[in-house]
Amino acid sequence: MTDRGPLPHRQAWPAMARCVLTSATMLSRREIRRPREYVGRMIRFGDGSSGRVYRETRVARPPEDPCVLVVAFRLRGVRGRGHAWFESVSLLNTPLFVGFPGFVSKLWLAHDGNGIYRGLYEWDGPQEAEQYARALWRVLALVSTRGSIHFRVFPGVRRDDVLTEPGRIDGQGLPEGEAWSRVVAAL
């Protein structure tokens, strides 16, 4: 599943509002974790780009129907020190995803050499992952360069398996133009 476009406004914004409310409850119950296991590691992608993991967010919910979601976007007008600022304040975006149904974890990747940021998620259910990505699109469109938002869902795989055995997603019919989403190494 990839880039079916954003959800209609009438679906996306209520979904984001529900997520924020659920996230607030989760935060008050201290259900959200920020492990450091992957922080600092470089993730390399099939298009030759790579990004450094600068944060991880996780909940204690093992997936029954695991999938990996990769989201990519380029922030509009962010250059130089603006990238460091974005990384520090991006923690405030946590309520925009942890409360979505099926969220398991997210690795936050710093911009690559082309200014592209990525999120590498584990989700419980490919349909839930796609719904999230399509709702998120509406938020990202407010701050991203037009045409830079993309996502790809890889059903049937866990995030940690993709990081330790990147070839696990090679056989999923990934078109050449989507190499940006294929993890080839985690260093």
Side-chain angles (χ1 to χ4, degrees), residues 16 23 41 90 101 114 119-120 133 136 162 183:
M16 295 305 288
S23 298
R41 291 180 72 178
S90 65
N114 299 313
L120 181 65
L136 175 69
V162 169
V183 174

Side-chain angles (χ1 to χ4, degrees), residues 15-179:
M16 295 305 288
R18 285 189 302 276
C19 175
V20 169
L21 292 172
T22 301
S23 298
T25 300
M26 293 171 73
L27 283 166
S28 71
R29 293 179 182 164
R30 299 180 181 207
E31 295 175 1
I32 302 165
R33 303 284 178 253
R34 290 183 38 212
R36 300 200 45 83
E37 177 182 357
Y38 288 101
V39 173
R41 291 180 72 178
M42 292 295 291
I43 310 294
R44 199 170 11 204
F45 294 89
D47 65 354
S49 65
S50 60
R52 172 188 48 82
V53 176
Y54 68 89
R55 182 176 299 122
E56 180 176 0
T57 305
R58 171 174 285 285
V59 297
R61 176 187 313 147
E64 294 177 21
D65 185 13
C67 68
V68 168
L69 166 66
V70 182
V71 175
F73 61 95
R74 178 182 292 117
L75 290 173
R76 184 178 26 236
V78 175
R79 308 231 184 330
R81 292 179 190 226
H83 290 294
W85 176 82
F86 173 75
E87 288 179 28
S88 66
V89 301
S90 65
L91 180 64
L92 300 174
N93 297 328
T94 302
L96 299 178
F97 63 86
V98 296
F100 261 89
F103 171 78
V104 176
S105 70
K106 176 183 180 179
L107 294 179
W108 308 58
L109 278 68
H111 68 288
D112 63 19
N114 299 313
I116 303 292
Y117 284 89
R118 288 183 182 89
L120 181 65
Y121 299 79
E122 183 169 20
W123 219 269
D124 188 6
Q127 290 78 20
E128 289 79 0
E130 181 183 354
Q131 284 297 106
Y132 160 71
R134 293 180 67 208
L136 175 69
W137 195 309
R138 292 294 182 187
V139 175
L140 289 176
L142 299 173
V143 296
S144 297
T145 303
R146 182 178 218 125
S148 73
I149 303 167
H150 302 285
F151 73 89
R152 179 78 160 105
V153 178
F154 296 95
V157 293
R158 295 183 57 104
R159 183 201 69 184
D160 289 353
D161 293 339
V162 169
L163 294 175
T164 57
E165 300 175 52
R168 292 183 70 127
I169 58 175
D170 285 345
Q172 295 205 17
L174 191 62
E176 183 62 34
E178 291 189 27

